[in-house]
Amino acid sequence: MSQSDYSPAFNKPRLVLKKVLAKSQHEGVGAVVRRAIGRSELKNLDPFIMLDHFSVSPPGGFPDHPHRGFETVTYMLEGGITHKDFAGHEGTIRTGDVQWMTAGRGIIHSEMPAEATNKGLQLWINLSANNKMIEPNYQEVVSEKIPSAEEDGVEVRVIAGEAMGIHSPVYTTTPTMFLDFSMKPGSQFHQIIPESWNSFVYVIEGEGVFGSPNSSPNMAHHVLVLSNGNGLSIWNNSSKGLRFVLIGGQPINEPVVQYGPFVMNTQHEIDKTIEDYHYSKNGFEMGKYFKSQ
Ligand code: FJE
Ligand code: FE
């Protein structure tokens, strides 16, 4: 029997502080999202602005729209999303692929379904004041290049950060961990999380016990906000597979003013951003004649 059956694996284990069901809502054109982070109950999870578990089919999608002041991470669970931006960057990410987009000072793009059924996660990570106006950047990692490892019935795909001794190739402007775990029935795992970071779990499939072995199981589509601590223990005591993402990030500790797809520090900066977008200035120059469709 392992030591963890008797004593906690961490001197300061993270526990589930708050549990919220991400109910479905409409977004974009004909898309349905379970908004895990960014809903009224879960607004201040610095540095995270939003997490959507999305499902979209043609002829719907997310037609031309701008971003400024943060990063968007799109991780595909099924199907594909074709993205096209105003600088001519385009491509399709498919099941298991990730696109890590640093919008910085400005991106205008469309994100449209590539197949009949397309599902994934889109995470918005805030940028600190000194990084909000950086040049836009893309990091795309196809499924086969995402590091993964398996230990005793627990598989992890490392989208960002480190787990089971393997590291993601993705550079995160705001220090972030993004791990996709699949746990077989009867398995358990202990994941280290930097102590000062904020973190949460989103359950994709199945049910799992998080934080304390005596706590009640958490089902699919729930967000679990974790308390401070240095790691998280997870048990799959059920008879089905458990899949969840564990996401953590270093808090930025700055004021956040959001207006849709613009995230800045002050209302003045938002007003300036709306003007820049309207007049195609300060990063939105290429928007002047852009139309992806
Ligand atoms: C949107 C601004 C946006 N969730 N999940 C305003 F940026 C968006 C938007 C998305 C989005 C895109 C994908 Cl691929 C997945 C998403 C929001 O593009 F819908 C609104 N209303
Ligand atoms: Fe977008």
Side-chain angles (χ1 to χ4, degrees):
M1 221 176 269
S2 67
Q3 164 247 350
S4 58
D5 293 313
Y6 297 105
S7 61
F10 303 104
N11 61 12
K12 211 177 158 201
R14 288 185 183 241
L15 303 174
V16 176
L17 261 190
K18 196 167 178 176
K19 165 178 170 172
V20 179
L21 172 66
K23 291 193 213 91
S24 294
Q25 61 185 68
H26 295 277
E27 195 48 282
V29 177
V32 174
V33 305
R34 290 183 180 273
R35 181 147 299 163
I37 301 296
R39 49 190 312 107
S40 55
E41 307 97 301
L42 291 172
K43 273 215 177 295
N44 305 305
L45 209 69
D46 190 11
F48 303 109
I49 307 288
M50 188 195 86
L51 176 68
D52 275 1
H53 181 194
F54 65 88
S55 177
V56 59
S57 297
F62 301 92
D64 296 357
H65 61 275
H67 294 281
R68 175 183 277 180
F70 61 101
E71 305 190 288
T72 71
V73 179
T74 310
Y75 180 48
M76 293 308 298
L77 299 173
E78 182 184 347
I81 290 285
T82 299
H83 58 92
K84 292 184 185 172
D85 86 357
F86 68 163
H89 183 98
E90 59 177 88
T92 301
I93 51 167
R94 297 180 186 280
T95 309
D97 300 349
V98 65
Q99 180 199 61
W100 200 286
M101 182 185 91
T102 306
R105 64 205 302 252
I107 285 277
I108 303 175
H109 71 171
S110 62
E111 296 155 285
M112 305 302 281
E115 294 176 25
T117 306
N118 310 275
K119 297 183 180 187
L121 300 173
Q122 187 168 93
L123 176 70
W124 291 8
I125 308 168
N126 202 6
L127 289 168
S128 57
N130 60 315
N131 286 318
K132 282 192 179 292
M133 294 297 277
I134 59 179
E135 285 301 313
N137 184 52
Y138 289 93
Q139 299 174 80
E140 273 157 19
V141 189
V142 294
S143 189
E144 306 74 60
K145 292 277 170 71
I146 292 180
S148 71
E150 203 263 358
E151 265 176 27
D152 302 328
V154 180
E155 193 207 330
V156 67
R157 306 187 81 236
V158 185
I159 313 303
E162 178 191 352
M164 293 189 194
I166 54 173
H167 297 255
S168 164
V170 171
Y171 171 76
T172 65
T173 310
T174 301
T176 304
M177 73 181 326
F178 188 141
L179 306 173
D180 172 10
F181 282 98
S182 295
M183 296 181 49
K184 294 214 163 84
S187 64
Q188 58 172 291
F189 195 69
H190 308 288
Q191 175 61 46
I192 292 171
I193 304 169
E195 180 139 15
S196 61
W197 290 16
N198 288 327
S199 65
F200 66 93
V201 163
Y202 176 73
V203 183
I204 298 170
E205 209 175 278
E207 59 179 81
V209 172
F210 296 85
S212 156
N214 319 311
S215 62
S216 46
N218 297 279
M219 323 279 258
H221 309 138
H222 285 80
V223 194
L224 316 174
V225 178
L226 305 178
S227 65
N228 287 331
N230 52 9
L232 175 69
S233 298
I234 310 107
W235 297 266
N236 181 358
N237 300 329
S238 80
S239 57
K240 294 176 302 171
L242 163 66
R243 188 173 184 191
F244 66 92
V245 288
L246 171 58
I247 294 172
Q250 187 173 71
I252 291 171
N253 293 312
E254 289 176 9
V256 176
V257 182
Q258 178 178 7
Y259 178 74
F262 303 139
V263 181
M264 304 300 286
N265 296 109
T266 65
Q267 184 58 46
H268 178 75
E269 289 168 348
I270 290 289
D271 296 344
K272 187 75 175 50
T273 300
I274 293 167
E275 185 184 308
D276 288 347
Y277 177 54
H278 187 83
Y279 294 106
S280 305
K281 295 188 306 186
N282 298 314
F284 291 115
E285 284 81 0
M286 303 291 282
K288 216 155 213 163
Y289 308 105
F290 174 69
K291 207 165 188 305
S292 67
Q293 274 83 44

